[in-house]
Amino acid sequence: MTIKSDSKFAILDRRKTGSGDQPQENAKNAKGAVFFSASFVFFVASSVVPFCPVSLGFPQKNRLKPALTGLNSHNTMLIILQSAIGNRNPAGDPLGLNSLRFSPRLSIMKHFLRGLFIGILLASGAASALKGADATYENPVLPGDHPDPSIIRVGADYWATCTSSEWGPQFPLLHSRDLVNWQQTGAVFTNRPDWAVGNFWAPEISRFKNRYHVYYVGREKHGPLAVAVATADKPEGPYTDHGPMVAQPQGSIDPSMCLDENGAPYLIWKDDNNSVGKTTTIWAQPMNDAGTKLTGAPTALIHNDTDWEGALVEGPYILRRGDWFYLFYSGAGCCGSGCNYALGVARSHSLLGPWEKAPANPIMAGNERWKCPGHGSVVTDERGRYWFLHHAYPAVGGIFTGREGMLEEVVFEANDWPTINRGMGPVIRGNSPYETTQTHDDLAFVDDFKGPALRPDWQWPQDHKPNCVLNHGQLILSGEDKAGPETLTTVLAHFALTADYTATTVIDTAHLAAETSAGLAVVGDLQNAVGLSVGHDGLVLWRRDHGHYQSLAQTNAPSGDKLHLRLQVENGNQFHFAAGTDGKTWQSVGEGSLAQNLPPWDRSVRIALTVEGARTTEARFNSFQLVPATAK
């Protein structure tokens, strides 16, 4: 524990390092506080009560109950101490202890009762602290594919976004009140920006002059990777796109914004020189007062010049703390099964340098549970603590589950250098920042299509947006003409959430046209997928490998007006398909298959509803479920 000085009082503050053993240590300390407080109450009461009979009244009895409502381990101690010192104003006596009326001859009893009441509340506060100490969270806080996350706090609300890459809609918007339970509310763009054709990477959400900015990456038509910006009046949007700000010949990526020591806005980004085998640089350049266009000249901040950084430095985020600017950045290879990503930090008294890299770099690398952590941003909570939201691959599931969203507390040491989990890699289990329970509701995705609109969690290939109509508890999914079987075109999908899971769907076969097939598939991209479909040829288990179509197994479909399809997955990459008529009895189709080719270099797999046909196609789905294997 550490002691923070605050004018009159010393307030206990638990330092949450995020290590696996820290929650148990805090619980042990809280248990000791409960024992001490209870002992104090028993000793005072048993020593004094037999000798001091008294009668008393509560002239403001209705004030006591509201004062006690909502007490927690953060404020109980402070309120008790404020009341105990005899502060006579109502704000300084929130529990009304000084409103008790006593007979003058029993003034000593007033002090006894105050002490007794304080002892009881100390025990209550310690018990509350014990409960809070037991509230922990596990990484990931954003399960599934959430690369390059960024985060801001707006009052009591946290907003985040992340890379969507080749999936639409572009850049999911996520909301939380406690940093460990998140819900997707929408996206920055529901339709692809007109100027870009793909590579929607690394969005950074920020607030400047009461406007919200999302700086992001896209590839220009017939051009390089570019940094662009969109703005909104509210963090949830709607956002207006302002187009590209900078597009160096070799490409410009990974933007963020920062205010210099004079409050002037700067764009921070990284050139993509590593794509042509050259040294990479993180740049800073001033912007206009709206934060939408560059002015002045760029200044180089740091380069990849140490062994652990490998071919690049990227993912810059700058935090101002006291007299220091801190540049959090990542180095080495971000993605794929051979990644070796890690997190570093540099500091400077001036935004434009000179910058000093931490001697302990990298300050976070992988461990036995998480691989290749990095690329994120820092947010400060109401208590002044720093939290780093970033991504990492799970050791189990890896590239098939994708780069998942992770939360770490950043602790600044006496030498003013930041540390994360004492250098032991991403935290496995840590104390919940707001002492709330992590629900894990986001480990499953279920849709019965009975809502007024399609859930915002659904995705589609960013250059092949399907038509989706909800009609009386059915999804009517349709697409466009296509030339042949090499490429999927009508896909509605959700990313995998765990390494072991079951996905099911129910297809309305009574309304399936003769030349149409509908199915359930695991999709890397439109040319790499494996799935089970039903159509005029019956049940077909198929695979697309770099555009080459192959039928793996074929059998007759059960008769009936609806058909259940099931996908079971183990270790992220072992797929087993089955079909049935009632969702209880299943007929396996083909053998279990491995599909190592599915995940692209920067994405995880998606579980998709598919529709195919020789012309404009349509199929009806009654439901979709994606649940962890343990929830089957």
Side-chain angles (χ1 to χ4, degrees):
M1 290 189 178
T2 58
I3 302 295
K4 290 185 177 180
S5 297
D6 183 85
S7 62
K8 298 180 181 179
F9 313 111
I11 303 173
L12 293 177
D13 177 40
R14 286 169 291 144
R15 172 57 62 192
K16 302 177 181 178
T17 64
S19 70
D21 295 329
Q22 195 65 27
Q24 288 80 3
E25 180 181 338
N26 288 345
K28 182 178 179 181
N29 293 339
K31 289 176 182 177
V34 171
F35 176 79
F36 173 81
S37 302
S39 300
F40 168 77
V41 172
F42 176 79
F43 170 76
V44 174
S46 61
S47 301
V48 182
V49 166
F51 306 102
C52 296
V54 67
S55 63
L56 54 91
F58 287 92
Q60 294 178 312
K61 62 182 179 181
N62 292 328
R63 199 178 86 191
L64 186 61
K65 183 177 179 180
L68 294 176
T69 302
L71 289 183
N72 57 47
S73 58
H74 297 315
N75 58 26
T76 301
M77 299 292 185
L78 178 59
I79 290 175
I80 292 169
L81 290 172
Q82 286 176 322
S83 299
I85 64 171
N87 191 330
R88 295 294 175 180
N89 65 75
D93 183 24
L95 299 182
L97 296 180
N98 292 299
S99 299
L100 300 178
R101 289 204 310 270
F102 296 88
S103 169
R105 61 187 179 85
L106 293 176
S107 60
I108 187 171
M109 191 58 187
K110 171 182 178 179
H111 298 289
F112 156 70
L113 286 174
R114 178 183 291 139
L116 178 63
F117 195 38
I118 290 172
I120 292 171
L121 287 179
L122 281 171
S124 173
S128 175
L130 173 59
K131 180 179 179 181
D134 287 338
T136 61
Y137 76 94
E138 295 180 8
N139 271 319
V141 295
L142 291 171
D145 206 24
H146 290 92
D148 313 325
S150 68
I151 185 172
I152 59 170
R153 179 171 65 86
V154 182
D157 297 283
Y158 292 91
W159 291 90
T161 185
C162 64
T163 284
S164 55
S165 194
E166 305 313 307
W167 291 94
Q170 282 71 32
F171 310 126
L173 286 169
L174 304 124
H175 174 259
S176 176
R177 299 296 297 272
D178 60 10
L179 290 170
V180 299
N181 295 296
W182 291 85
Q183 182 178 13
Q184 185 172 338
T185 63
V188 175
F189 301 120
T190 56
N191 294 297
R192 186 176 72 179
D194 290 338
W195 66 270
V197 294
N199 301 125
F200 293 101
W201 299 341
E204 188 71 32
I205 186 169
S206 59
R207 185 181 185 185
F208 177 58
K209 291 190 174 180
N210 294 319
R211 296 273 294 168
Y212 296 90
H213 294 62
V214 174
Y215 298 91
Y216 69 95
V217 177
R219 183 175 293 277
E220 292 183 326
K221 296 176 181 178
H222 311 295
L225 292 164
V227 168
V229 63
T231 61
D233 292 327
K234 299 180 293 184
E236 61 268 37
Y239 281 86
T240 299
D241 187 37
H242 299 275
M245 300 177 67
V246 57
Q248 295 155 291
Q250 71 280 10
S252 305
I253 67 172
D254 294 357
S256 62
M257 78 94 69
C258 179
L259 302 181
D260 73 359
E261 49 269 40
N262 299 313
Y266 276 71
L267 180 71
I268 315 297
W269 82 96
K270 169 239 177 184
D271 63 45
D272 205 34
N273 271 352
N274 54 287
S275 65
V276 293
K278 296 182 179 180
T279 298
T280 61
T281 301
I282 291 177
W283 298 89
Q285 187 168 345
M287 294 187 288
N288 62 5
D289 288 340
T292 56
K293 294 186 180 299
L294 293 177
T295 63
T299 300
L301 302 186
I302 63 170
H303 313 277
N304 56 310
D305 55 12
T306 61
D307 289 341
W308 76 268
E309 295 166 348
L312 58 85
V313 288
E314 65 180 21
Y317 178 83
I318 296 180
L319 170 72
R320 181 78 183 274
R321 179 180 181 270
D323 294 331
W324 290 104
F325 289 90
Y326 292 90
L327 170 56
F328 292 84
Y329 68 96
S330 299
C334 70
C335 310
S337 58
C339 66
N340 56 349
Y341 219 39
L343 180 73
V345 67
R347 69 183 183 185
S348 173
H349 286 297
S350 170
L351 175 62
L352 300 184
W355 287 87
E356 171 195 9
K357 293 182 179 180
N361 277 347
I363 63 171
M364 182 170 61
N367 55 28
E368 72 280 5
R369 289 282 296 275
W370 296 99
K371 296 172 51 180
C372 308
H375 198 141
S377 58
V378 180
V379 69
T380 308
D381 68 15
E382 296 96 327
R383 296 173 61 192
R385 298 171 300 179
Y386 300 94
W387 300 92
F388 183 57
L389 187 68
H390 68 100
H391 71 235
Y393 283 113
V396 177
I399 58 175
F400 286 84
T401 309
R403 292 174 286 169
E404 305 192 69
M406 313 280 288
L407 183 70
E408 322 287 343
E409 185 175 5
V410 180
V411 177
F412 285 85
E413 302 293 348
N415 59 7
D416 283 332
W417 282 112
T419 63
I420 294 176
N421 196 22
R422 302 196 298 274
M424 297 189 298
V427 67
I428 297 170
R429 180 189 294 269
N431 288 313
S432 183
Y434 287 85
E435 300 180 358
T436 52
T437 300
Q438 188 180 21
T439 64
H440 296 294
D441 290 343
D442 49 7
L443 292 178
F445 177 77
V446 178
D447 200 341
D448 59 8
F449 305 122
K450 293 180 180 178
L454 197 67
R455 287 188 53 171
D457 314 57
W458 284 108
Q459 297 182 314
W460 52 83
Q462 58 93 10
D463 54 350
H464 288 84
K465 185 177 181 179
N467 301 313
C468 301
V469 177
L470 298 182
N471 183 38
H472 302 292
Q474 284 190 324
L475 166 68
I476 303 175
L477 182 64
S478 60
E480 58 188 30
D481 294 341
K482 67 173 187 174
E486 294 81 11
T487 301
L488 285 166
T489 55
T490 306
V491 169
L492 186 67
H494 195 286
F495 49 77
L497 294 164
T498 56
D500 302 312
Y501 56 90
T502 298
T504 57
T505 189
V506 181
I507 299 173
D508 180 355
T509 52
H511 291 88
L512 198 61
E515 297 180 354
T516 301
S517 63
L520 181 66
V522 185
V523 177
D525 57 30
L526 294 181
Q527 294 189 320
N528 295 278
V530 58
L532 178 62
S533 297
V534 61
H536 67 279
D537 292 330
L539 285 166
V540 178
L541 181 66
W542 54 265
R543 173 183 292 173
R544 285 176 171 83
D545 187 350
H546 296 89
H548 175 69
Y549 176 85
Q550 180 183 6
S551 174
L552 303 177
Q554 185 171 341
T555 187
N556 293 329
S559 60
D561 292 339
K562 63 180 181 180
L563 181 69
H564 295 249
L565 300 184
R566 184 183 72 182
L567 163 68
Q568 292 179 306
V569 179
E570 300 172 6
N571 298 321
N573 64 352
Q574 299 178 32
F575 309 119
H576 306 269
F577 288 91
T581 58
D582 58 5
K584 298 178 181 178
T585 303
W586 298 96
Q587 171 190 349
S588 294
V589 181
E591 298 180 355
S593 62
L594 293 173
Q596 294 297 126
N597 66 298
L598 287 186
W601 70 274
D602 66 333
R603 281 155 275 163
S604 73
V605 297
R606 264 64 177 170
I607 316 306
L609 304 177
T610 64
V611 182
E612 299 181 78
R615 54 183 174 79
T616 300
T617 57
E618 175 184 294
R620 300 184 179 214
F621 296 85
N622 295 344
S623 65
F624 176 85
Q625 290 191 358
L626 175 62
V627 297
T630 55
K632 290 184 296 184

